[in-house]
Amino acid sequence: MKKGTFISIIALISINTVLFGQDTLWSVPEDQLSKAAPVMFTGEMQKAGEDIYAKNCKSCHGDMGQGNMAKLNPLPKDLSSLAVSKQTDGALHYKITNGRGLMPVFKNTLSGAQIWEVISYIRKYHKDYKQPEPSMVAAFGGKTITLTMDYLPDLKGFKIIALGKEKDADVPAEGVEIALFVKRYFGLLKIDDSKVTDKQGEVFFNEPAKLPGDKEGNLQVIAKVVDTEKYGDVAYTKEVAAGIPTEKPSLTENRAIWNVGRKAPWWVTVAYPLTVLAVLGTIGYIILLLKKIYLSGKEQSDNLN
Amino acid sequence: MEDHSTNNNNSRRDFLQKVGLIASGTVMGGAAMFAGFKFETSKKKESRIKALTAEHQLIEVEAEGHSHPVEDMLTELQLQGREGIPDKRWVMVIDLAKCRNARQCMKACQGAHELRPEQHHINVLQMQDSENTAPYFMPKPCQHCDNPPCVSVCPVDATFKRPDGIVLIDNERCIGCRFCVAACPYSARIFHWNEPLKEQEYKENKSKYSQMIAEGKQEEAKELEKKVAYDVELNVPQRRGTISKCLFSADRLRVGQMPYCVSACPNGVYYFGDENEDAVTNGTTKQTVRLSGLLRDNAGYRLMEELGTKPRVYYLPPKNRLFPFPEETLITNEHHS
């Protein structure tokens, strides 16, 4: 009996930790802990971070230092607190990127560069914070690269060219990881795995198979540089007719949802009264015939008499 | 004269008799029409008439300028709610393997639609299909059928199917007959037996609003109007004696956001998207995937396919559940509707 209670308590605790395992330590992988921002935080970054914070973080974490967090279990941390300021930039970046429990995953909604902007904004409220040396690799003299994309209908794919600036001249950017997306209503649909540019700074993606486009088959295709921390948010958007033209009828057409006269098709409106009239007419005709039979019978019996 | 009468085989007496009949008939008919006309005009001259306000109060108003009753007018919100969002076919995918009964979807839903804790637009059920199979959690919203039995039985066109696939209920039209509740095989509908949760607040807002209008504070009133005006895409304010149901958060879809339940889930259970785009986005990770691929790779299915209701909610089977199920007692003791 005792053993049973003990086991059930242990089981309950383990279930609790699995379901609401928020109180345990949020461990961050070693190599992520020491990760530093690619550049020194600037006022511009903090301003951009403030906007991102207002849109994505404020609804739960509240205003900085105001303590007006959303009443969730566990309570979201006030990000200006000491517990947060003691954490490394890498740890914060990892937690925002990957989320846990009620803390959403942001890797698909915010780019790496945007997450650094949010961190730069949060750091504004940490008095004793000193930013570590930036990890920026001086790619193309620290200047961003540009992307262009061509749709090649013959090859059924997209050619993307990445160019970097070197001494004011455009040179092909080799070794840049690029991902291709198609815009959908709630987010970006990734096409294929991301690929790395060759010596010419080029990369080729096959077009998505049988992906529905709009009425003309147009798709909004977006090429993005994956390593946003190194190159910043670099993207190129183009509308191309690479999809399947889609124009499906509305779901209220061709359906048996005729519960009221207004929604009924015209042929029902016409056919129903006509059917009723036909039935009533047939009954009337039969009665008429019966009357005739009766009358002729009466006449004959009168004649006989 | 004589010739005429004899030719037509009519006597003078016959002629006079007929004239007399016609004349008296005309006089009597005329008199009746005159009386009727007089009655009608006297009715119109009445200076005050009775009218029913939007707040369901019977009032007397000056007849002048009110001779035409308001026709079946829908508000802007109701119209937009009936039209839906063009070229869309909303679809939801629920991954049963990931649900661990966090109940955040239910909380978010009840908060948004101002429901009592025991009222559910979406409910997480504890399931066990047979004695020897593993139990699992199953979130169950309205299935938004393409062939909805609830809509076919509604006698007043209160519940309807939109072109984009959502089945909504207009609480302003609903007469509370509950035919739809009986018709729904998924038990997706709730009835407001009692006053809604925030009835007091609705009343206060309403009186504040009419006071503002009376005082001519148009701008302040406009701000409050959002709270007072009935939004058919949110079912708020809720109304006693009517039906409420899951709306796929039609108000959020309009602004490009995912439903309340979908974005509240911490475990990545829900996918939501547009079937026409063949893409659904996970509410937790915000990752977008191909709908056809997701259903094919995971053997997706719909509930009660044999009824021919054609739901717009797909389920992925509870394979490789990643969590232990609570004590058996939970399943045996809890009652599910």
Side-chain angles (χ1 to χ4, degrees), chain B residues 190-221:
Chain B
I190 57 163
F191 185 69
H192 282 291
W193 293 98
N194 301 310
E195 298 288 335
L197 180 66
K198 297 198 172 172
E199 183 69 17
Q200 201 56 38
E201 199 182 309
Y202 299 157
K203 275 183 186 158
E204 280 166 20
N205 281 339
K206 215 170 234 178
S207 62
K208 225 189 272 176
Y209 179 71
S210 32
Q211 200 182 341
M212 278 177 184
I213 290 289
E215 287 169 9
K217 290 177 185 165
Q218 292 296 334
E219 270 174 35
E220 286 172 52

PDB file of all heavy atoms in Angstrom, chain B residues 190-221:
ATOM      1  N   ILE B 190     -23.768  25.334 -28.297  1.00  0.00           N
ATOM      2  CA  ILE B 190     -24.217  25.550 -26.920  1.00  0.00           C
ATOM      3  C   ILE B 190     -25.407  26.494 -26.934  1.00  0.00           C
ATOM      4  O   ILE B 190     -25.575  27.283 -27.857  1.00  0.00           O
ATOM      5  CB  ILE B 190     -23.102  26.130 -26.014  1.00  0.00           C
ATOM      6  CG1 ILE B 190     -22.563  27.438 -26.603  1.00  0.00           C
ATOM      7  CG2 ILE B 190     -21.995  25.125 -25.821  1.00  0.00           C
ATOM      8  CD1 ILE B 190     -21.785  28.243 -25.595  1.00  0.00           C
ATOM      9  N   PHE B 191     -26.232  26.380 -25.904  1.00  0.00           N
ATOM     10  CA  PHE B 191     -27.406  27.237 -25.798  1.00  0.00           C
ATOM     11  C   PHE B 191     -27.268  28.093 -24.547  1.00  0.00           C
ATOM     12  O   PHE B 191     -26.868  27.597 -23.500  1.00  0.00           O
ATOM     13  CB  PHE B 191     -28.670  26.374 -25.710  1.00  0.00           C
ATOM     14  CG  PHE B 191     -29.937  27.171 -25.717  1.00  0.00           C
ATOM     15  CD1 PHE B 191     -30.331  27.846 -26.859  1.00  0.00           C
ATOM     16  CD2 PHE B 191     -30.737  27.246 -24.583  1.00  0.00           C
ATOM     17  CE1 PHE B 191     -31.510  28.589 -26.868  1.00  0.00           C
ATOM     18  CE2 PHE B 191     -31.916  27.984 -24.595  1.00  0.00           C
ATOM     19  CZ  PHE B 191     -32.298  28.643 -25.734  1.00  0.00           C
ATOM     20  N   HIS B 192     -27.589  29.365 -24.673  1.00  0.00           N
ATOM     21  CA  HIS B 192     -27.525  30.250 -23.501  1.00  0.00           C
ATOM     22  C   HIS B 192     -28.793  30.094 -22.672  1.00  0.00           C
ATOM     23  O   HIS B 192     -29.776  30.790 -22.897  1.00  0.00           O
ATOM     24  CB  HIS B 192     -27.364  31.703 -23.941  1.00  0.00           C
ATOM     25  CG  HIS B 192     -25.976  32.051 -24.365  1.00  0.00           C
ATOM     26  ND1 HIS B 192     -24.928  32.122 -23.488  1.00  0.00           N
ATOM     27  CD2 HIS B 192     -25.454  32.315 -25.575  1.00  0.00           C
ATOM     28  CE1 HIS B 192     -23.830  32.430 -24.138  1.00  0.00           C
ATOM     29  NE2 HIS B 192     -24.119  32.546 -25.416  1.00  0.00           N
ATOM     30  N   TRP B 193     -28.780  29.140 -21.748  1.00  0.00           N
ATOM     31  CA  TRP B 193     -29.938  28.964 -20.866  1.00  0.00           C
ATOM     32  C   TRP B 193     -30.045  30.126 -19.892  1.00  0.00           C
ATOM     33  O   TRP B 193     -31.130  30.535 -19.523  1.00  0.00           O
ATOM     34  CB  TRP B 193     -29.810  27.655 -20.072  1.00  0.00           C
ATOM     35  CG  TRP B 193     -29.891  26.440 -20.921  1.00  0.00           C
ATOM     36  CD1 TRP B 193     -28.849  25.692 -21.403  1.00  0.00           C
ATOM     37  CD2 TRP B 193     -31.086  25.820 -21.424  1.00  0.00           C
ATOM     38  NE1 TRP B 193     -29.326  24.653 -22.163  1.00  0.00           N
ATOM     39  CE2 TRP B 193     -30.692  24.706 -22.184  1.00  0.00           C
ATOM     40  CE3 TRP B 193     -32.439  26.103 -21.288  1.00  0.00           C
ATOM     41  CZ2 TRP B 193     -31.609  23.875 -22.823  1.00  0.00           C
ATOM     42  CZ3 TRP B 193     -33.351  25.266 -21.925  1.00  0.00           C
ATOM     43  CH2 TRP B 193     -32.936  24.163 -22.680  1.00  0.00           C
ATOM     44  N   ASN B 194     -28.871  30.628 -19.464  1.00  0.00           N
ATOM     45  CA  ASN B 194     -28.855  31.715 -18.483  1.00  0.00           C
ATOM     46  C   ASN B 194     -28.357  32.998 -19.133  1.00  0.00           C
ATOM     47  O   ASN B 194     -27.964  33.003 -20.284  1.00  0.00           O
ATOM     48  CB  ASN B 194     -27.928  31.346 -17.326  1.00  0.00           C
ATOM     49  CG  ASN B 194     -28.383  30.081 -16.649  1.00  0.00           C
ATOM     50  OD1 ASN B 194     -29.544  29.940 -16.296  1.00  0.00           O
ATOM     51  ND2 ASN B 194     -27.469  29.123 -16.521  1.00  0.00           N
ATOM     52  N   GLU B 195     -28.372  34.039 -18.314  1.00  0.00           N
ATOM     53  CA  GLU B 195     -27.798  35.304 -18.774  1.00  0.00           C
ATOM     54  C   GLU B 195     -26.339  35.059 -19.147  1.00  0.00           C
ATOM     55  O   GLU B 195     -25.649  34.316 -18.463  1.00  0.00           O
ATOM     56  CB  GLU B 195     -27.842  36.338 -17.647  1.00  0.00           C
ATOM     57  CG  GLU B 195     -29.238  36.688 -17.161  1.00  0.00           C
ATOM     58  CD  GLU B 195     -30.006  37.520 -18.158  1.00  0.00           C
ATOM     59  OE1 GLU B 195     -29.358  38.205 -18.965  1.00  0.00           O
ATOM     60  OE2 GLU B 195     -31.250  37.450 -18.142  1.00  0.00           O
ATOM     61  N   PRO B 196     -25.849  35.668 -20.239  1.00  0.00           N
ATOM     62  CA  PRO B 196     -24.429  35.515 -20.568  1.00  0.00           C
ATOM     63  C   PRO B 196     -23.537  36.038 -19.445  1.00  0.00           C
ATOM     64  O   PRO B 196     -23.983  36.845 -18.612  1.00  0.00           O
ATOM     65  CB  PRO B 196     -24.264  36.369 -21.815  1.00  0.00           C
ATOM     66  CG  PRO B 196     -25.616  36.551 -22.358  1.00  0.00           C
ATOM     67  CD  PRO B 196     -26.556  36.485 -21.208  1.00  0.00           C
ATOM     68  N   LEU B 197     -22.301  35.592 -19.460  1.00  0.00           N
ATOM     69  CA  LEU B 197     -21.340  35.921 -18.408  1.00  0.00           C
ATOM     70  C   LEU B 197     -21.261  37.424 -18.150  1.00  0.00           C
ATOM     71  O   LEU B 197     -21.231  37.878 -17.012  1.00  0.00           O
ATOM     72  CB  LEU B 197     -19.961  35.376 -18.811  1.00  0.00           C
ATOM     73  CG  LEU B 197     -18.810  35.606 -17.851  1.00  0.00           C
ATOM     74  CD1 LEU B 197     -19.038  34.835 -16.570  1.00  0.00           C
ATOM     75  CD2 LEU B 197     -17.494  35.183 -18.485  1.00  0.00           C
ATOM     76  N   LYS B 198     -21.229  38.220 -19.204  1.00  0.00           N
ATOM     77  CA  LYS B 198     -20.996  39.659 -19.031  1.00  0.00           C
ATOM     78  C   LYS B 198     -22.255  40.478 -19.279  1.00  0.00           C
ATOM     79  O   LYS B 198     -22.168  41.630 -19.741  1.00  0.00           O
ATOM     80  CB  LYS B 198     -19.870  40.114 -19.965  1.00  0.00           C
ATOM     81  CG  LYS B 198     -18.556  39.445 -19.653  1.00  0.00           C
ATOM     82  CD  LYS B 198     -17.393  40.182 -20.262  1.00  0.00           C
ATOM     83  CE  LYS B 198     -16.081  39.606 -19.777  1.00  0.00           C
ATOM     84  NZ  LYS B 198     -14.930  40.152 -20.483  1.00  0.00           N
ATOM     85  N   GLU B 199     -23.419  39.899 -18.990  1.00  0.00           N
ATOM     86  CA  GLU B 199     -24.686  40.590 -19.243  1.00  0.00           C
ATOM     87  C   GLU B 199     -24.716  41.968 -18.581  1.00  0.00           C
ATOM     88  O   GLU B 199     -25.159  42.951 -19.182  1.00  0.00           O
ATOM     89  CB  GLU B 199     -25.839  39.728 -18.723  1.00  0.00           C
ATOM     90  CG  GLU B 199     -27.230  40.288 -18.973  1.00  0.00           C
ATOM     91  CD  GLU B 199     -27.604  40.281 -20.446  1.00  0.00           C
ATOM     92  OE1 GLU B 199     -26.952  39.567 -21.227  1.00  0.00           O
ATOM     93  OE2 GLU B 199     -28.546  41.011 -20.803  1.00  0.00           O
ATOM     94  N   GLN B 200     -24.229  42.030 -17.336  1.00  0.00           N
ATOM     95  CA  GLN B 200     -24.234  43.296 -16.589  1.00  0.00           C
ATOM     96  C   GLN B 200     -23.450  44.358 -17.359  1.00  0.00           C
ATOM     97  O   GLN B 200     -23.901  45.488 -17.523  1.00  0.00           O
ATOM     98  CB  GLN B 200     -23.624  43.057 -15.212  1.00  0.00           C
ATOM     99  CG  GLN B 200     -23.989  44.089 -14.173  1.00  0.00           C
ATOM    100  CD  GLN B 200     -25.494  44.226 -14.003  1.00  0.00           C
ATOM    101  OE1 GLN B 200     -26.233  43.237 -14.048  1.00  0.00           O
ATOM    102  NE2 GLN B 200     -25.963  45.454 -13.846  1.00  0.00           N
ATOM    103  N   GLU B 201     -22.263  43.936 -17.853  1.00  0.00           N
ATOM    104  CA  GLU B 201     -21.400  44.866 -18.583  1.00  0.00           C
ATOM    105  C   GLU B 201     -22.071  45.323 -19.879  1.00  0.00           C
ATOM    106  O   GLU B 201     -22.011  46.506 -20.227  1.00  0.00           O
ATOM    107  CB  GLU B 201     -20.094  44.138 -18.891  1.00  0.00           C
ATOM    108  CG  GLU B 201     -18.945  45.052 -19.227  1.00  0.00           C
ATOM    109  CD  GLU B 201     -17.698  44.247 -19.558  1.00  0.00           C
ATOM    110  OE1 GLU B 201     -17.319  43.363 -18.764  1.00  0.00           O
ATOM    111  OE2 GLU B 201     -17.115  44.504 -20.626  1.00  0.00           O
ATOM    112  N   TYR B 202     -22.741  44.391 -20.570  1.00  0.00           N
ATOM    113  CA  TYR B 202     -23.435  44.739 -21.810  1.00  0.00           C
ATOM    114  C   TYR B 202     -24.470  45.820 -21.527  1.00  0.00           C
ATOM    115  O   TYR B 202     -24.577  46.800 -22.260  1.00  0.00           O
ATOM    116  CB  TYR B 202     -24.164  43.529 -22.414  1.00  0.00           C
ATOM    117  CG  TYR B 202     -23.292  42.353 -22.800  1.00  0.00           C
ATOM    118  CD1 TYR B 202     -23.839  41.084 -22.890  1.00  0.00           C
ATOM    119  CD2 TYR B 202     -21.939  42.510 -23.079  1.00  0.00           C
ATOM    120  CE1 TYR B 202     -23.069  39.985 -23.237  1.00  0.00           C
ATOM    121  CE2 TYR B 202     -21.166  41.421 -23.419  1.00  0.00           C
ATOM    122  CZ  TYR B 202     -21.726  40.160 -23.495  1.00  0.00           C
ATOM    123  OH  TYR B 202     -20.962  39.085 -23.834  1.00  0.00           O
ATOM    124  N   LYS B 203     -25.231  45.616 -20.441  1.00  0.00           N
ATOM    125  CA  LYS B 203     -26.301  46.548 -20.116  1.00  0.00           C
ATOM    126  C   LYS B 203     -25.747  47.938 -19.805  1.00  0.00           C
ATOM    127  O   LYS B 203     -26.257  48.947 -20.266  1.00  0.00           O
ATOM    128  CB  LYS B 203     -27.099  46.029 -18.909  1.00  0.00           C
ATOM    129  CG  LYS B 203     -28.189  45.048 -19.309  1.00  0.00           C
ATOM    130  CD  LYS B 203     -28.997  44.626 -18.102  1.00  0.00           C
ATOM    131  CE  LYS B 203     -29.986  43.545 -18.489  1.00  0.00           C
ATOM    132  NZ  LYS B 203     -30.406  42.742 -17.324  1.00  0.00           N
ATOM    133  N   GLU B 204     -24.681  47.933 -18.994  1.00  0.00           N
ATOM    134  CA  GLU B 204     -24.067  49.219 -18.636  1.00  0.00           C
ATOM    135  C   GLU B 204     -23.572  49.949 -19.876  1.00  0.00           C
ATOM    136  O   GLU B 204     -23.794  51.148 -20.040  1.00  0.00           O
ATOM    137  CB  GLU B 204     -22.900  48.981 -17.668  1.00  0.00           C
ATOM    138  CG  GLU B 204     -23.349  48.776 -16.241  1.00  0.00           C
ATOM    139  CD  GLU B 204     -22.246  48.206 -15.361  1.00  0.00           C
ATOM    140  OE1 GLU B 204     -21.062  48.313 -15.739  1.00  0.00           O
ATOM    141  OE2 GLU B 204     -22.595  47.629 -14.312  1.00  0.00           O
ATOM    142  N   ASN B 205     -22.882  49.195 -20.745  1.00  0.00           N
ATOM    143  CA  ASN B 205     -22.362  49.799 -21.965  1.00  0.00           C
ATOM    144  C   ASN B 205     -23.482  50.382 -22.816  1.00  0.00           C
ATOM    145  O   ASN B 205     -23.355  51.465 -23.376  1.00  0.00           O
ATOM    146  CB  ASN B 205     -21.598  48.755 -22.791  1.00  0.00           C
ATOM    147  CG  ASN B 205     -20.206  48.512 -22.246  1.00  0.00           C
ATOM    148  OD1 ASN B 205     -19.666  49.347 -21.532  1.00  0.00           O
ATOM    149  ND2 ASN B 205     -19.636  47.375 -22.565  1.00  0.00           N
ATOM    150  N   LYS B 206     -24.574  49.637 -22.884  1.00  0.00           N
ATOM    151  CA  LYS B 206     -25.687  50.042 -23.720  1.00  0.00           C
ATOM    152  C   LYS B 206     -26.303  51.346 -23.205  1.00  0.00           C
ATOM    153  O   LYS B 206     -26.561  52.270 -23.979  1.00  0.00           O
ATOM    154  CB  LYS B 206     -26.740  48.934 -23.736  1.00  0.00           C
ATOM    155  CG  LYS B 206     -27.441  48.802 -25.067  1.00  0.00           C
ATOM    156  CD  LYS B 206     -28.276  47.550 -25.078  1.00  0.00           C
ATOM    157  CE  LYS B 206     -27.959  46.667 -26.261  1.00  0.00           C
ATOM    158  NZ  LYS B 206     -28.720  45.437 -26.262  1.00  0.00           N
ATOM    159  N   SER B 207     -26.496  51.409 -21.885  1.00  0.00           N
ATOM    160  CA  SER B 207     -27.121  52.623 -21.339  1.00  0.00           C
ATOM    161  C   SER B 207     -26.167  53.808 -21.461  1.00  0.00           C
ATOM    162  O   SER B 207     -26.576  54.928 -21.746  1.00  0.00           O
ATOM    163  CB  SER B 207     -27.558  52.402 -19.887  1.00  0.00           C
ATOM    164  OG  SER B 207     -26.432  52.128 -19.097  1.00  0.00           O
ATOM    165  N   LYS B 208     -24.871  53.508 -21.258  1.00  0.00           N
ATOM    166  CA  LYS B 208     -23.869  54.573 -21.404  1.00  0.00           C
ATOM    167  C   LYS B 208     -23.887  55.107 -22.836  1.00  0.00           C
ATOM    168  O   LYS B 208     -23.793  56.304 -23.077  1.00  0.00           O
ATOM    169  CB  LYS B 208     -22.481  54.005 -21.076  1.00  0.00           C
ATOM    170  CG  LYS B 208     -21.649  54.912 -20.167  1.00  0.00           C
ATOM    171  CD  LYS B 208     -20.236  54.408 -20.059  1.00  0.00           C
ATOM    172  CE  LYS B 208     -20.022  53.397 -18.955  1.00  0.00           C
ATOM    173  NZ  LYS B 208     -18.647  52.849 -18.951  1.00  0.00           N
ATOM    174  N   TYR B 209     -24.022  54.153 -23.767  1.00  0.00           N
ATOM    175  CA  TYR B 209     -23.995  54.502 -25.185  1.00  0.00           C
ATOM    176  C   TYR B 209     -25.183  55.381 -25.554  1.00  0.00           C
ATOM    177  O   TYR B 209     -25.016  56.433 -26.187  1.00  0.00           O
ATOM    178  CB  TYR B 209     -24.006  53.208 -26.021  1.00  0.00           C
ATOM    179  CG  TYR B 209     -24.008  53.448 -27.513  1.00  0.00           C
ATOM    180  CD1 TYR B 209     -22.885  53.935 -28.158  1.00  0.00           C
ATOM    181  CD2 TYR B 209     -25.135  53.157 -28.280  1.00  0.00           C
ATOM    182  CE1 TYR B 209     -22.870  54.144 -29.518  1.00  0.00           C
ATOM    183  CE2 TYR B 209     -25.138  53.350 -29.648  1.00  0.00           C
ATOM    184  CZ  TYR B 209     -24.001  53.850 -30.263  1.00  0.00           C
ATOM    185  OH  TYR B 209     -23.997  54.052 -31.616  1.00  0.00           O
ATOM    186  N   SER B 210     -26.387  54.956 -25.114  1.00  0.00           N
ATOM    187  CA  SER B 210     -27.564  55.764 -25.477  1.00  0.00           C
ATOM    188  C   SER B 210     -27.513  57.140 -24.813  1.00  0.00           C
ATOM    189  O   SER B 210     -28.006  58.125 -25.360  1.00  0.00           O
ATOM    190  CB  SER B 210     -28.864  55.028 -25.148  1.00  0.00           C
ATOM    191  OG  SER B 210     -28.716  54.212 -24.046  1.00  0.00           O
ATOM    192  N   GLN B 211     -26.899  57.181 -23.635  1.00  0.00           N
ATOM    193  CA  GLN B 211     -26.742  58.479 -22.963  1.00  0.00           C
ATOM    194  C   GLN B 211     -25.818  59.398 -23.758  1.00  0.00           C
ATOM    195  O   GLN B 211     -26.105  60.578 -23.942  1.00  0.00           O
ATOM    196  CB  GLN B 211     -26.168  58.243 -21.564  1.00  0.00           C
ATOM    197  CG  GLN B 211     -26.415  59.415 -20.618  1.00  0.00           C
ATOM    198  CD  GLN B 211     -25.783  59.150 -19.260  1.00  0.00           C
ATOM    199  OE1 GLN B 211     -25.496  58.013 -18.921  1.00  0.00           O
ATOM    200  NE2 GLN B 211     -25.586  60.206 -18.508  1.00  0.00           N
ATOM    201  N   MET B 212     -24.727  58.806 -24.247  1.00  0.00           N
ATOM    202  CA  MET B 212     -23.772  59.589 -25.044  1.00  0.00           C
ATOM    203  C   MET B 212     -24.436  60.118 -26.306  1.00  0.00           C
ATOM    204  O   MET B 212     -24.223  61.265 -26.697  1.00  0.00           O
ATOM    205  CB  MET B 212     -22.578  58.710 -25.442  1.00  0.00           C
ATOM    206  CG  MET B 212     -21.548  58.585 -24.353  1.00  0.00           C
ATOM    207  SD  MET B 212     -20.263  57.467 -24.888  1.00  0.00           S
ATOM    208  CE  MET B 212     -19.257  57.389 -23.429  1.00  0.00           C
ATOM    209  N   ILE B 213     -25.247  59.256 -26.940  1.00  0.00           N
ATOM    210  CA  ILE B 213     -25.940  59.670 -28.155  1.00  0.00           C
ATOM    211  C   ILE B 213     -26.897  60.820 -27.842  1.00  0.00           C
ATOM    212  O   ILE B 213     -26.955  61.817 -28.567  1.00  0.00           O
ATOM    213  CB  ILE B 213     -26.715  58.471 -28.758  1.00  0.00           C
ATOM    214  CG1 ILE B 213     -25.744  57.441 -29.326  1.00  0.00           C
ATOM    215  CG2 ILE B 213     -27.693  58.937 -29.840  1.00  0.00           C
ATOM    216  CD1 ILE B 213     -25.021  57.841 -30.588  1.00  0.00           C
ATOM    217  N   ALA B 214     -27.598  60.672 -26.716  1.00  0.00           N
ATOM    218  CA  ALA B 214     -28.564  61.703 -26.322  1.00  0.00           C
ATOM    219  C   ALA B 214     -27.868  63.030 -26.047  1.00  0.00           C
ATOM    220  O   ALA B 214     -28.391  64.101 -26.340  1.00  0.00           O
ATOM    221  CB  ALA B 214     -29.335  61.232 -25.098  1.00  0.00           C
ATOM    222  N   GLU B 215     -26.649  62.933 -25.484  1.00  0.00           N
ATOM    223  CA  GLU B 215     -25.915  64.160 -25.170  1.00  0.00           C
ATOM    224  C   GLU B 215     -25.132  64.686 -26.367  1.00  0.00           C
ATOM    225  O   GLU B 215     -24.452  65.705 -26.267  1.00  0.00           O
ATOM    226  CB  GLU B 215     -24.959  63.891 -23.998  1.00  0.00           C
ATOM    227  CG  GLU B 215     -25.678  63.754 -22.673  1.00  0.00           C
ATOM    228  CD  GLU B 215     -24.759  63.221 -21.589  1.00  0.00           C
ATOM    229  OE1 GLU B 215     -23.538  63.120 -21.832  1.00  0.00           O
ATOM    230  OE2 GLU B 215     -25.285  62.893 -20.509  1.00  0.00           O
ATOM    231  N   GLY B 216     -25.177  63.944 -27.460  1.00  0.00           N
ATOM    232  CA  GLY B 216     -24.510  64.389 -28.684  1.00  0.00           C
ATOM    233  C   GLY B 216     -23.011  64.208 -28.685  1.00  0.00           C
ATOM    234  O   GLY B 216     -22.289  64.857 -29.426  1.00  0.00           O
ATOM    235  N   LYS B 217     -22.507  63.307 -27.835  1.00  0.00           N
ATOM    236  CA  LYS B 217     -21.058  63.061 -27.820  1.00  0.00           C
ATOM    237  C   LYS B 217     -20.740  61.983 -28.853  1.00  0.00           C
ATOM    238  O   LYS B 217     -20.507  60.813 -28.522  1.00  0.00           O
ATOM    239  CB  LYS B 217     -20.615  62.594 -26.434  1.00  0.00           C
ATOM    240  CG  LYS B 217     -20.686  63.666 -25.385  1.00  0.00           C
ATOM    241  CD  LYS B 217     -20.297  63.077 -24.036  1.00  0.00           C
ATOM    242  CE  LYS B 217     -20.473  64.083 -22.920  1.00  0.00           C
ATOM    243  NZ  LYS B 217     -20.436  63.444 -21.612  1.00  0.00           N
ATOM    244  N   GLN B 218     -20.714  62.389 -30.116  1.00  0.00           N
ATOM    245  CA  GLN B 218     -20.600  61.414 -31.199  1.00  0.00           C
ATOM    246  C   GLN B 218     -19.283  60.635 -31.158  1.00  0.00           C
ATOM    247  O   GLN B 218     -19.261  59.427 -31.370  1.00  0.00           O
ATOM    248  CB  GLN B 218     -20.722  62.119 -32.554  1.00  0.00           C
ATOM    249  CG  GLN B 218     -22.098  62.687 -32.818  1.00  0.00           C
ATOM    250  CD  GLN B 218     -23.170  61.617 -32.916  1.00  0.00           C
ATOM    251  OE1 GLN B 218     -22.884  60.482 -33.251  1.00  0.00           O
ATOM    252  NE2 GLN B 218     -24.413  61.963 -32.603  1.00  0.00           N
ATOM    253  N   GLU B 219     -18.185  61.317 -30.885  1.00  0.00           N
ATOM    254  CA  GLU B 219     -16.885  60.656 -30.972  1.00  0.00           C
ATOM    255  C   GLU B 219     -16.689  59.616 -29.887  1.00  0.00           C
ATOM    256  O   GLU B 219     -16.214  58.509 -30.132  1.00  0.00           O
ATOM    257  CB  GLU B 219     -15.766  61.698 -30.918  1.00  0.00           C
ATOM    258  CG  GLU B 219     -15.402  62.174 -32.318  1.00  0.00           C
ATOM    259  CD  GLU B 219     -14.398  63.299 -32.307  1.00  0.00           C
ATOM    260  OE1 GLU B 219     -13.521  63.292 -31.427  1.00  0.00           O
ATOM    261  OE2 GLU B 219     -14.515  64.189 -33.176  1.00  0.00           O
ATOM    262  N   GLU B 220     -17.084  59.993 -28.661  1.00  0.00           N
ATOM    263  CA  GLU B 220     -16.966  59.032 -27.559  1.00  0.00           C
ATOM    264  C   GLU B 220     -17.882  57.844 -27.799  1.00  0.00           C
ATOM    265  O   GLU B 220     -17.531  56.698 -27.506  1.00  0.00           O
ATOM    266  CB  GLU B 220     -17.335  59.696 -26.233  1.00  0.00           C
ATOM    267  CG  GLU B 220     -16.265  60.634 -25.720  1.00  0.00           C
ATOM    268  CD  GLU B 220     -16.745  61.416 -24.524  1.00  0.00           C
ATOM    269  OE1 GLU B 220     -17.229  60.796 -23.577  1.00  0.00           O
ATOM    270  OE2 GLU B 220     -16.659  62.665 -24.570  1.00  0.00           O
ATOM    271  N   ALA B 221     -19.058  58.146 -28.356  1.00  0.00           N
ATOM    272  CA  ALA B 221     -20.035  57.090 -28.613  1.00  0.00           C
ATOM    273  C   ALA B 221     -19.489  56.101 -29.638  1.00  0.00           C
ATOM    274  O   ALA B 221     -19.683  54.902 -29.529  1.00  0.00           O
ATOM    275  CB  ALA B 221     -21.344  57.689 -29.108  1.00  0.00           C
TER     276      ALA B 221
END
